[in-house]
Amino acid sequence: MGGLPRQFWFLWTGTLINRLGSFVVIFMAIYLTTQRHFSQSQAGLVIGFYGVGGAIGTTVGGVLADRWGRRPTMLSAQFGAAALMLALGFAYGYWPVLAVTFLLGVVTEAVRPAFSAMMVDVVPDRDRVRAYSLNYWAINLGFALSAVGAGLAAKADYLLLFVIDAGSTLITAVISLIFLAETGPATPSPVRARRSPGIGAALRDRTFVVYLVISLGSIVVMMQHLSTLPIAMAADGLSAATYGWVIAVNGVLIVLGQLFVPKLIEGFDRSRVLALAALIIGVGFGLGAFANTAWFFALTVVIWTLGEMLQSPSNAATVAALSPASLRGRYQGLNSLSWSAGTALAPIVGGFTQEHLGDTALWSGCFGVGALVAIGHLVTGPRRERRIAQLQATPASDAPIRVATPATTPAATPVPPAADDPVTESRV
């Protein structure tokens, strides 16, 4: 933990506080169906609109972070998210809830590109892995504790969820306002912008696009833990507090064991690890068809969390390896958008299946999708490895883009942004 810049620790502290108060999204499905009396399909559409807004917010936030600046983008989005969170708590009626949730997704996700860019700006390359590991640990620790806290708060009053969530976001915004300095370039470079290829350059890489499409299946399955899983548990007579501690198992396992996983899978074929991870995730959710008690649901969470822990570093390594040096930002952007798409699709597809076909069909379908994703990784894996070998044999054509470091932090060697963990990104 030593030797990291002061500004990194302000970012880290803001992350932990924000995640500790991230109550609403965890209990959104239960809130919409029990307090607002929406159907499963309506609740799924509302949560899906959050994902759609998030996809837009990620794109807009990335542009603003480069053109307007990291700090103003973060401050505008954080203060806006706090206000919209309170507005959502007082929103009644289907259409107002849908509209506010969509806007909340836009501003909440707009923070991410600016936050990631600022962290890369202030942390030297030699400390990057350490810094992102610490941030990932804070995210999952906050997720685990907030799941339990949100369950207790929901017992008292669901409005308390929105108040605490807005309050934690507001505290994070104040930390950003007082302690964070701008780290982006003083002025944009129009020449570089004109010469830089667009997102189409990444979309024309069929190997990469096929990988994203296959991985989308795992994302849709994993995101059921925020939409259809709480509804299924409530239908079995389990309380919101019970769901809170059951889902907290996910965060606890990641906090305790994730740092050991990279060493565990070292030397194994990436595609086989991804296939195994997809299969374990499918089995974990598939067992939901037989679960009707808290301990059984907790067991399913343990199983699919193990798959998630294998999937996370393997996915990050694969995306990074498939990204040409001059297009890493665009490739990482497409990867983030695929997670936003999965977050939007998961509650819509899952909610429709749950309402019209039942829980058994839903969880059996999750297992089937996991199995298909595993087969897809095994079939397409050799082509991906050939593509990676070609990229490693080709020297980088462009020098890295350098950005300014803040005067309030130790000098750092600026480098291109590193890939963020997509599972972590999906958890807000």
Side-chain angles (χ1 to χ4, degrees), residues 122-187:
V122 301
V123 177
D125 178 56
R126 64 181 180 274
D127 295 325
R128 189 73 45 74
V129 173
R130 208 156 46 93
Y132 271 91
S133 296
L134 284 166
N135 195 61
Y136 181 53
W137 180 85
I139 288 171
N140 284 282
L141 177 63
F143 174 76
L145 295 177
S146 67
V148 176
L152 297 175
K155 274 188 172 182
D157 189 345
Y158 271 91
L159 181 59
L160 193 58
L161 298 177
F162 296 90
V163 173
I164 295 176
D165 204 325
S168 67
T169 303
L170 187 61
I171 293 173
T172 304
V174 171
I175 291 174
S176 301
L177 178 65
I178 298 175
F179 297 107
L180 296 184
E182 177 57 60
T183 63
T187 56

Side-chain angles (χ1 to χ4, degrees), residues 9 13 26 42 50 55 71 83 95 106 113 121 123-124 139 153 202 224 229 249 251 290 296 329 356 382-383 404 416:
W9 289 112
T13 302
I26 299 174
Q42 287 178 319
Y50 180 92
R71 187 170 180 270
W95 294 110
V106 173
D121 292 344
V123 177
I139 288 171
Q224 299 304 318
L229 178 59
V249 171
F290 307 98
F296 205 143
H356 296 285
R383 181 176 180 179

Side-chain angles (χ1 to χ4, degrees), residues 41-395:
S41 295
Q42 287 178 319
L45 188 61
V46 170
I47 299 173
F49 260 61
Y50 180 92
V52 173
I56 296 173
T58 297
T59 304
V60 174
V63 174
L64 290 177
D66 288 334
R67 294 186 178 181
W68 189 23
R70 319 316 194 196
R71 187 170 180 270
T73 301
M74 288 174 62
L75 288 174
S76 300
Q78 287 168 341
F79 281 112
L84 284 169
M85 186 63 71
L86 278 179
L88 182 59
F90 290 99
Y92 288 87
Y94 182 68
W95 294 110
V97 169
L98 191 71
V100 176
T101 303
F102 170 77
L103 293 175
L104 181 63
V106 173
V107 296
T108 299
E109 299 302 317
V111 176
R112 302 194 180 287
F115 177 91
S116 299
M118 182 174 283
M119 185 174 291
V120 171
D121 292 344
V122 301
V123 177
D125 178 56
R126 64 181 180 274
D127 295 325
R128 189 73 45 74
V129 173
R130 208 156 46 93
Y132 271 91
S133 296
L134 284 166
N135 195 61
Y136 181 53
W137 180 85
I139 288 171
N140 284 282
L141 177 63
F143 174 76
L145 295 177
S146 67
V148 176
L152 297 175
K155 274 188 172 182
D157 189 345
Y158 271 91
L159 181 59
L160 193 58
L161 298 177
F162 296 90
V163 173
I164 295 176
D165 204 325
S168 67
T169 303
L170 187 61
I171 293 173
T172 304
V174 171
I175 291 174
S176 301
L177 178 65
I178 298 175
F179 297 107
L180 296 184
E182 177 57 60
T183 63
T187 56
S189 173
V191 174
R192 181 174 289 278
R194 286 196 299 269
R195 290 178 178 177
S196 179
I199 198 71
L203 288 172
R204 287 191 291 272
D205 186 342
R206 294 182 181 179
T207 301
F208 183 67
V209 172
V210 168
Y211 172 76
L212 292 184
V213 171
I214 293 173
S215 299
L216 183 62
S218 290
I219 300 171
V220 171
V221 173
M222 282 192 291
M223 289 301 104
Q224 299 304 318
H225 77 281
L226 291 178
S227 54
T228 55
L229 178 59
I231 294 175
M233 292 182 65
D236 286 328
L238 301 174
S239 67
T242 301
Y243 167 72
W245 74 256
V246 166
I247 200 62
V249 171
N250 171 263
V252 170
L253 283 177
I254 291 175
V255 169
L256 294 178
Q258 185 64 54
L259 295 179
F260 299 99
V261 172
K263 189 69 175 178
L264 179 67
I265 63 177
E266 185 179 0
F268 287 92
D269 181 80
R270 276 179 291 236
S271 300
R272 293 184 179 182
V273 174
L274 286 167
L276 177 62
L279 190 59
I280 294 175
I281 292 169
V283 169
F285 279 97
L287 286 174
F290 307 98
N292 55 12
T293 60
W295 72 265
F296 205 143
F297 279 111
L299 176 62
T300 68
V301 172
V302 169
I303 294 172
W304 61 256
T305 298
L306 294 176
E308 178 186 346
M309 292 167 66
L310 291 174
Q311 190 269 351
S312 174
S314 302
N315 175 75
T318 301
V319 172
L322 285 171
S323 306
S326 60
L327 298 173
R328 282 174 185 155
R330 292 152 186 82
Y331 276 64
Q332 297 297 333
L334 277 180
N335 184 50
S336 296
L337 282 177
S338 73
W339 280 86
S340 296
T343 303
L345 284 173
I348 296 174
V349 175
F352 180 87
T353 304
Q354 189 176 48
E355 180 178 2
H356 296 285
L357 300 177
D359 286 338
T360 300
L362 171 66
W363 303 128
S364 300
C366 286
F367 170 74
V369 172
L372 289 175
V373 170
I375 294 172
H377 281 309
L378 291 176
V379 171
T380 60
R383 181 176 180 179
R384 281 200 302 272
E385 293 304 319
R386 289 194 297 271
R387 169 71 171 159
I388 291 171
Q390 291 173 354
L391 289 172
Q392 291 174 343
T394 304

